[in-house]
Amino acid sequence: MGIGRLYTYTSLPNVTHSGAVEQSTAPQQEWQRYLDARQKVDDELAQLAKMDNPALADIFRVHQEILHDRLLTEGIRAAIDRGTSAATATQQITSELVQLFQNLSDDYFASRSVDIRDVGQRLLAHLSGVSLARQLTALPPNTILLAEDLTPFDATHLSPERVTGIALAASTPTAHTAILARSLGIPLICGVGSAILRLPSGLLAVVDGLHGRLLVEPDAELLTRYEQTGQRLLALRINAEAHSHTAALTRDGRLVLVHANVNSQEDMLQVANSGADGIGLLRTEYLFQERTTPPTVTEQIAAYRLISRQMAGEILTVRLLDIGGDKPVRYLPQISESNPFLGVRGIRLLLQHPELLRDQLQALVSLAVKSSFSGLVRILVPMVSKVAEVHRVLDVLDGIPGYREGHRPGGRLQLGVMIEVPAAALLADRLAPLVDFFSIGSNDLAQYTLAADRVNSAVASLASPLDPSVLRLIAMTCQAGQMAEIPVSICGEMAGDPSIFPLLFGLGVTEVSVVAPAVALVKEAVRQTDGDAARRLAERALQANSAQEVHRLLHPEG
Ligand code: PEP
Ligand code: MG
């Protein structure tokens, strides 16, 4: 919750070059001006990349890579050689690249267009001597910032002492600006629409990050309510963080492990302090992308050991490579698919490249039976839709020395499958006897159940994991897990919303895995949950007609 006075920030006209095409007769001089500006930006970014916060430091390292990218540099050089000034060339080429990236259908790449624009802004600032940050650093205290979008550059000039909330006309929750705002603790809502930019500055407003709302000129009663809610949420977070390293038991005494999701080595710094009971999902894609050859078994063992040494807790769940479809890697032949999410992805791709599958399994078996890691290594198979796929993975495992030893009862190796395709949920009772645990991937389960592409914002509202159809598949999975006496975890984004935990528990979920910053609050939600009440809630949710109805069950207060 953020309360303050509106201020409309018009970042773009300020930071882009005037638009006039400046001609130059001295390309060599202009090129030198560009190189000087690039050096200054490089120094600036190197300084920022040294900051303590790994998530932020990472962003600036990516910006350094963009700054030296061949496409950008060669484009600018060519434009300067054609006779434009360094500033115009920078403006033109970065705009072209921003456009190019914005038009890519993959959300991840589309949101990277903000990074390119950011780097362009920095270059232009030096080339035209404009101080971009002045507007943001001079904001009065208690400001609610309204903007079309903010770049990470803008965001580094925000101070939580001055900016109490942000509402963006555009942008998505996966963009870097949202990550930055989250780490600064500033409530942010995005994708609100450009009408907000017409609101006059100076009006009193509330950014309600819980419900994704901007309330302008609230009356005194509403304002008091928001102030109280804000205080309550702050107290809850402080209290939750004080207990985050203690095990979470429901009111009726059931232990619920709250694990962390990890997407990169850098995530581990946050995970170590989060109080997570272990790692419930290590997305290993980071080890395989941005390279020209796949990592060797030795390289993989080293990477998994590093993670295992940095974690607290006893369980390390490593998901096998989940690429393909819209996430290409350079060393695999690129197949063009018109429906990549319905294509060769996850285990389907691994079975087509048995050497990749075998190497990764070998590295994980070795981690469990040969390394100093004393915990449990859980291997997780993504995108399973057939029982035969699990048999094929088991066949490969059987041929790996050490597997039998690690996998015997009481051993340190387990095998599980992601339940993220409706077929897997529907066949959960067939899959359960073959594996040691289930992990429900609600992000994909929702997109496949509701036939709504998870990266297409036009159908985003259809793909709610709270839809009763998805909940029924979750319930079915939990029943099969219970029958086979195996744990059923959930690692999709919905698990990170503390208000959803009672419903998941009522459906039969026994463990959760969430982003590190959510661990403390989800553990607190576990402690507030009563098994019987949760089961009654789940029964009602399974009978609901829509996700909205389920949402109302979870938030009866509105
Ligand atoms: C999921 O699908 O819910 C999941 C956790 O996997 P990913 O988001 O990596 O596809
Ligand atoms: Mg998935």
Side-chain angles (χ1 to χ4, degrees):
M1 300 290 171
I3 301 174
R5 301 229 163 242
L6 296 180
Y7 176 86
T8 310
Y9 174 64
T10 46
S11 112
L12 297 184
N14 253 354
V15 292
T16 49
H17 180 59
S18 66
V21 175
E22 290 170 8
Q23 298 296 333
S24 105
T25 48
Q28 201 45 44
Q29 267 175 17
E30 288 300 308
W31 178 240
Q32 194 50 53
R33 283 190 65 215
Y34 174 76
L35 291 180
D36 292 346
R38 189 173 75 171
Q39 187 56 54
K40 287 184 188 139
V41 174
D42 206 11
D43 294 345
E44 235 168 66
L45 291 171
Q47 202 55 37
L48 288 164
K50 283 190 203 140
M51 66 172 65
D52 275 352
N53 186 322
L56 301 195
D58 225 31
I59 292 174
F60 297 111
R61 271 192 289 275
V62 171
H63 285 193
Q64 277 184 298
E65 281 171 28
I66 294 174
L67 182 68
H68 293 283
D69 184 82
R70 254 186 50 204
L71 217 57
L72 181 71
T73 312
E74 286 174 7
I76 290 173
R77 177 80 219 217
I80 289 177
D81 285 347
R82 285 196 299 273
T84 49
S85 70
T88 299
T90 304
Q91 163 72 19
Q92 275 175 359
I93 303 302
T94 48
S95 306
E96 275 171 32
L97 286 175
V98 166
Q99 281 284 312
L100 185 80
F101 270 68
Q102 268 171 351
N103 292 337
L104 293 176
S105 62
D106 183 310
D107 242 14
Y108 175 81
F109 285 115
S111 56
R112 294 297 79 81
S113 65
V114 178
D115 299 307
I116 301 171
R117 191 172 53 180
D118 199 295
V119 171
Q121 285 178 344
R122 283 183 192 274
L123 284 166
L124 279 169
H126 285 289
L127 287 167
S128 52
V130 180
S131 170
L132 305 173
R134 210 180 309 131
Q135 251 196 98
L136 288 174
T137 45
L139 289 171
N142 298 323
T143 293
I144 300 278
L145 203 61
L146 303 177
E148 172 68 23
D149 197 353
L150 291 176
T151 67
F153 175 80
D154 295 329
T156 46
H157 292 95
L158 295 172
S159 102
E161 282 79 48
R162 291 172 182 273
V163 179
T164 48
I166 302 171
L168 300 179
S171 197
T172 70
T174 51
H176 279 148
T177 303
I179 302 175
L180 279 156
R182 201 174 289 136
S183 67
L184 289 168
I186 303 177
L188 176 146
I189 58 172
C190 55
V192 192
S194 55
I196 56 163
L197 301 176
R198 292 193 289 277
L199 290 168
S201 287
L203 295 183
L204 189 68
V206 179
V207 166
D208 175 353
L210 268 189
H211 303 95
R213 287 187 204 136
L214 175 72
L215 290 108
V216 182
E217 303 256 84
D219 61 31
E221 194 193 322
L222 198 60
L223 192 63
T224 313
R225 218 153 26 147
Y226 270 106
E227 278 167 350
Q228 286 167 349
T229 310
Q231 299 286 345
R232 191 170 51 79
L233 290 174
L234 185 66
L236 277 179
R237 175 166 282 283
I238 292 171
N239 176 51
E241 282 172 358
H243 300 102
S244 66
H245 291 267
T246 315
L249 273 75
T250 59
R251 286 195 177 161
D252 44 328
R254 283 270 303 276
L255 172 70
V256 177
L257 296 176
V258 179
H259 295 304
N261 290 351
V262 177
N263 303 324
S264 66
Q265 181 57 53
E266 287 73 31
D267 277 1
M268 287 309 293
L269 279 156
Q270 259 187 316
V271 168
N273 300 324
S274 69
D277 296 314
I279 292 176
L281 173 67
L282 175 67
R283 291 183 167 102
T284 55
E285 291 74 60
Y286 77 95
L287 289 173
F288 290 79
Q289 290 174 317
E290 309 300 330
R291 343 177 10 126
T292 48
T293 53
T296 60
V297 176
T298 317
E299 281 176 310
Q300 288 193 54
I301 295 174
Y304 303 138
R305 276 192 186 173
L306 191 57
I307 297 275
S308 71
R309 277 203 295 271
Q310 288 172 332
M311 63 184 268
E314 293 290 294
I315 297 180
L316 171 54
T317 314
V318 184
R319 186 174 70 183
L320 299 180
L321 184 59
D322 182 16
I323 51 162
D326 65 330
K327 288 188 220 142
V329 290
R330 273 180 232 160
Y331 43 86
L332 291 181
Q334 177 86 53
I335 15 163
S336 166
E337 298 180 303
S338 52
N339 281 313
F341 277 120
L342 303 180
V344 186
R345 186 189 159 188
I347 189 60
R348 301 173 181 179
L349 180 126
L350 290 174
L351 290 171
Q352 286 187 10
H353 296 274
E355 66 298 340
L356 272 182
L357 176 62
R358 194 201 47 233
D359 283 0
Q360 195 170 19
L361 289 175
Q362 204 170 323
L364 292 170
V365 170
S366 170
L367 178 73
V369 299
K370 292 206 193 109
S371 80
S372 54
F373 177 55
S374 59
L376 185 63
V377 177
R378 282 178 168 177
I379 301 174
L380 182 55
V381 189
M383 270 297 284
V384 167
S385 59
K386 304 261 171 216
V387 176
E389 289 163 342
V390 183
H391 281 298
R392 289 179 68 186
V393 172
L394 282 167
D395 285 346
V396 181
L397 276 170
D398 257 338
I400 294 177
Y403 168 66
R404 295 247 169 104
E405 175 200 340
H407 192 248
R408 64 186 150 67
R412 297 203 293 109
L413 192 59
Q414 292 191 342
L415 181 72
V417 287
M418 291 283 293
I419 303 290
E420 52 185 346
V421 177
L426 293 163
L427 287 178
D429 62 335
R430 304 287 113 166
L431 292 166
L434 301 178
V435 295
D436 307 297
F437 69 100
F438 281 154
S439 184
I440 299 172
S442 50
N443 306 337
D444 277 315
L445 191 59
Q447 83 157 340
Y448 292 130
T449 305
L450 293 150
D453 187 341
R454 70 190 257 194
V455 297
N456 178 352
S457 53
V459 290
S461 61
L462 296 180
S464 169
L466 290 181
D467 195 278
S469 58
V470 181
L471 301 183
R472 287 178 184 210
L473 292 173
I474 294 177
M476 216 167 175
T477 306
C478 294
Q479 272 160 19
Q482 215 170 18
M483 289 290 289
E485 297 182 7
I486 59 172
V488 179
S489 173
I490 180 159
C491 61
E493 293 305 306
M494 76 189 299
D497 180 339
S499 70
I500 302 180
F501 177 76
L503 171 60
L504 297 173
F505 187 70
L507 290 169
V509 164
T510 60
E511 299 175 5
V512 294
S513 190
V514 303
V515 288
V519 168
L521 287 170
V522 172
K523 280 195 164 184
E524 212 43 43
V526 171
R527 297 184 185 111
Q528 306 292 326
T529 297
D530 168 71
D532 285 337
R535 279 182 285 278
R536 282 196 299 275
L537 171 68
E539 270 162 35
R540 290 180 67 194
L542 288 170
Q543 296 310 317
N545 287 300
S546 64
Q548 289 73 14
E549 232 180 85
V550 177
H551 192 270
R552 281 196 292 276
L553 288 174
L554 298 180
H555 301 276
E557 73 288 359

